[in-house]
Amino acid sequence: MIDNYILAPVLANLITAVVQLILWRKTRSQKYLSIAGSFFGVLLSARLFQKVYDGGILTMNAANWDAPFGIVFVADLLSAVLVLITAITALAVSIFSSVSLSRQRMLYGYFPIFHFLIMGLQGAFLTGDIFNLYVFFEVIIISSFVLMTLGGRKAQLEGAVKYMALNILASTFFLTGIGILYGITGSLNMADLAIKIKQVDNSTLVNITSIFFILGFGVKSAVFPLYFWLPSSYHTPPSAVAATFGGLLTKVGIYAMLRTFSLIFIPDTFTQNLLMGIAVFTIIVGAFGALIKTNMRMTFSYLIVCHIGFMVGGIAMFCQVALLGVVFYLMHDIILKTNLFLITGLIRHITGTMDLKTMGGLYRSYPKISLMIALVLFSLVGIPPLSGFWPKLFLFQSGFELQQNSYILALVLGSFFTLYVIVKTWSEAFWKEPPVPSLLENKFEGMNTGRKVMMILPILLLLAVSLFIGLGAQSVYVIAEKISIELVDTSPYIRAVLGRE
C-alpha cells in the first residue's frame, strides 16, 4: 500500500533540527523544542506502527518514480517497531539532556545535531534502497562524530578519532560492496535485488560481495575483531550522548544485517559458519572485557559488545525461531542499553566518578533510586520474567535444535559473566561503604526538585517500557513472531515494493 505518511517521523526530526538551528543561541528554547519534537515523534511513530500492524507493509516512491528505478521507502513491521523504539529512546534522552548537559555544550549545537542523528537512524530503518541506506549511515556517522567531540576534551577527541577511523573503514567496505552488487545486478532497490541476485551464476562473487557487507556492518555493530573502537570511545562523551550511542548505533548495524541477509544474501553454509564464528568470539571478548574493567561505563560498553554477539549468532542460524529471538532481543537491548547509560549519568551526578573502586553507599543514601536501578540491572541479566529472559529462550532453543554447541556454550558464558559483572557493580557501587569520604561534588543534591524529577523521569520511562517487554511478553512475542516470519518469507515485502514475486 502506498502511503506518504511513512516519512512523518523522519520529517518531524528534520523540522525540529532546522528550527533549533534558527534558535542557535537560545538554549532554553532548544530544550523545550527538543522534548516537544521528540514527544510528537513518538506519536507519529506509534501511528505508523499501528498503520503497518493493521494494514500491512506501506511504501512510498520518491517523486513518483516507480520501483526499482526511483528511491523507495518501505515500512514493514520490523522497520515500524524500530522507528517507534528509536522515538521513545529519543524522548528519554531529550528529557535527560535538558538537565544533565551544561549550557556551554548546548551552545555547540547539541540539540539540532541530536535530532539529525535520530533522523538518520529512522531513515535507515525505513529506506528500501541499499545506496540510500549508505547515505543515511553517513548522516548517522557525521552527526555522531560531532556529538562525540562536543566540548573538545582530550579524551573525547581521542575516542572520536578511533570511532571515526573505524567507521570510515566500515563505510568503505559497505560502499565497495554496493558497487560490486550494482555491477552484477544493475539495481540498488533491495526488493529488486532479492530477485536479481538469484539470477547471478557466479556464486563465489556473490559470497565475496556478502563479505564486504559483513565487514561494513560488522564494524558498525562492533563485532570481533572489529569491536575495540566501541569501549575506547563510548566512555568519553556526556552520558546523554553515550546513551544514544549505546542503545542505537550498534543496533542499526544489526538491523542492516537482518535486512540484507534476509532479502539479498540468504545465508548459505559458508556465511552461516562465518557469522557464527564471529558471534562466538564477540560474546567471549565482550564478556572478558567487561570482567576486568573498573570504570562503570567501560564495563557496560563491553557488555554491549558481548550482547551484540547474541544477536549475530541468531542471524547466523537463520531460522524462524532464531530470528524471533534476535528481534525480541533487539527490542529489549535498545531500551536497556540506553537506560544503562542514562543511569551512569545519574550516578556520575551523585558520586562525581565512574570508577567503581571509589564508589559506595548508594543504596544507603538513595534506596528508592537504587531499587529502580536494580530492576534495570535484573532485566539486563535476564532474570525471569523480565525482558532479557524471553529472547534468550528462543536463542537457546534454536541452538539446541541446530546443534550449535559452541554458540550455546558462548551464550551460557556470556550470560554468566553478565550476571557476575552486574553483581560486582552492585556490590561496589551500592552496598559497600565508600573507601574514603568523597571530595567530589554531589551535583544531584545541588539540583532543585524539578531538575531531579527531569533526570529520573526518562530512566523511569525506559524502565516502564522494559517492564512491558518482559511482563507483557505475550504481546511482544506476537509482534516478534510476525517479523521473523516476514524475514524468512520475504515475498510480501517484494510484492509490496515491486508488485510482483
Side-chain angles (χ1 to χ4, degrees), residues 147-381:
L147 290 176
M148 187 168 285
T149 57
L150 215 62
R153 292 187 298 111
K154 181 181 177 181
Q156 285 181 261
L157 296 176
E158 182 181 345
V161 168
K162 296 173 184 176
Y163 172 82
M164 198 65 182
L166 265 294
N167 275 276
I168 288 174
L169 181 63
S171 296
T172 304
F173 286 132
F174 187 16
L175 192 57
T176 303
I178 291 173
I180 299 172
L181 196 59
Y182 183 71
I184 62 178
T185 62
S187 181
L188 293 172
N189 182 283
M190 287 192 273
D192 193 40
L193 285 169
I195 297 173
K196 291 185 175 178
I197 199 71
K198 297 174 184 176
Q199 301 167 3
V200 178
D201 296 327
N202 192 338
S203 60
T204 303
L205 182 58
V206 173
N207 282 335
I208 291 172
T209 308
S210 71
I211 290 174
F212 279 104
F213 283 88
I214 290 173
L215 288 171
F217 299 149
V219 174
K220 294 179 186 299
S221 302
V223 301
F224 177 87
L226 308 166
Y227 68 92
F228 57 85
W229 61 269
L230 190 152
S232 298
S233 57
Y234 275 24
H235 71 287
T236 60
S239 297
V241 176
T244 309
F245 289 5
L248 290 167
L249 292 197
T250 50
K251 309 315 177 301
V252 76
I254 294 297
Y255 164 80
M257 281 190 191
L258 280 171
R259 184 64 74 200
T260 54
F261 285 94
S262 62
L263 270 174
I264 305 168
F265 306 107
I266 307 302
D268 56 11
T269 303
F270 168 79
T271 307
Q272 288 180 312
N273 290 337
L274 177 61
L275 287 174
M276 185 56 73
I278 290 172
V280 169
F281 281 107
T282 301
I283 294 171
I284 292 171
V285 298
F288 278 103
L291 200 63
I292 63 175
K293 294 299 177 183
T294 58
N295 180 290
M296 183 181 286
R297 209 192 286 181
M298 287 193 74
T299 299
F300 292 156
S301 296
Y302 272 103
L303 288 181
I304 291 174
V305 175
C306 177
H307 300 159
I308 286 292
F310 290 4
M311 291 178 274
V312 174
I315 296 172
M317 290 185 286
F318 203 79
C319 63
Q320 192 260 319
V321 175
L323 293 175
L324 191 160
V326 173
V327 172
F328 206 134
Y329 202 95
L330 187 59
M331 290 188 275
H332 146 81
D333 204 60
I334 290 174
I335 298 296
L336 252 293
K337 292 304 192 300
T338 303
N339 213 4
L340 272 182
F341 281 91
L342 293 184
I343 287 169
T344 62
L346 173 61
I347 291 175
R348 185 163 194 164
H349 271 72
I350 294 172
T351 64
T353 182
M354 285 284 94
D355 187 359
L356 289 171
K357 292 181 179 179
T358 59
M359 289 185 191
L362 283 175
Y363 183 80
R364 186 185 64 184
S365 302
Y366 300 94
K368 293 179 181 178
I369 291 177
S370 297
L371 290 174
M372 173 187 70
I373 294 172
L375 283 174
V376 178
L377 298 180
F378 288 161
S379 298
L380 177 69
V381 172

Side-chain angles (χ1 to χ4, degrees), residues 121-173:
L121 288 163
Q122 293 186 328
F125 294 142
L126 291 170
T127 185
D129 182 279
I130 194 71
F131 185 77
N132 216 27
L133 179 62
Y134 167 79
V135 171
F136 279 115
F137 268 32
E138 294 308 295
V139 172
I140 294 167
I141 290 173
I142 293 168
S143 302
S144 55
F145 179 73
V146 175
L147 290 176
M148 187 168 285
T149 57
L150 215 62
R153 292 187 298 111
K154 181 181 177 181
Q156 285 181 261
L157 296 176
E158 182 181 345
V161 168
K162 296 173 184 176
Y163 172 82
M164 198 65 182
L166 265 294
N167 275 276
I168 288 174
L169 181 63
S171 296
T172 304
F173 286 132

Side-chain angles (χ1 to χ4, degrees), residues 370-449:
S370 297
L371 290 174
M372 173 187 70
I373 294 172
L375 283 174
V376 178
L377 298 180
F378 288 161
S379 298
L380 177 69
V381 172
I383 304 297
L386 299 176
S387 60
F389 172 72
W390 304 108
K392 285 184 188 178
L393 285 182
F394 302 115
L395 294 175
F396 272 113
Q397 179 183 339
S398 302
F400 281 115
E401 288 176 355
L402 299 177
Q403 298 182 347
Q404 293 288 346
N405 298 326
S406 59
Y407 177 65
I408 293 169
L409 179 60
L411 270 179
V412 172
L413 287 175
S415 300
F416 174 77
F417 282 130
T418 299
L419 174 62
Y420 177 83
V421 166
I422 293 306
V423 169
K424 183 183 78 169
T425 301
W426 181 265
S427 175
E428 291 287 320
F430 293 86
W431 273 349
K432 79 170 173 45
E433 292 298 317
V436 292
S438 177
L439 301 177
L440 299 171
E441 179 187 1
N442 186 331
K443 295 180 180 179
F444 185 73
E445 284 302 318
M447 292 180 173
N448 60 42
T449 303

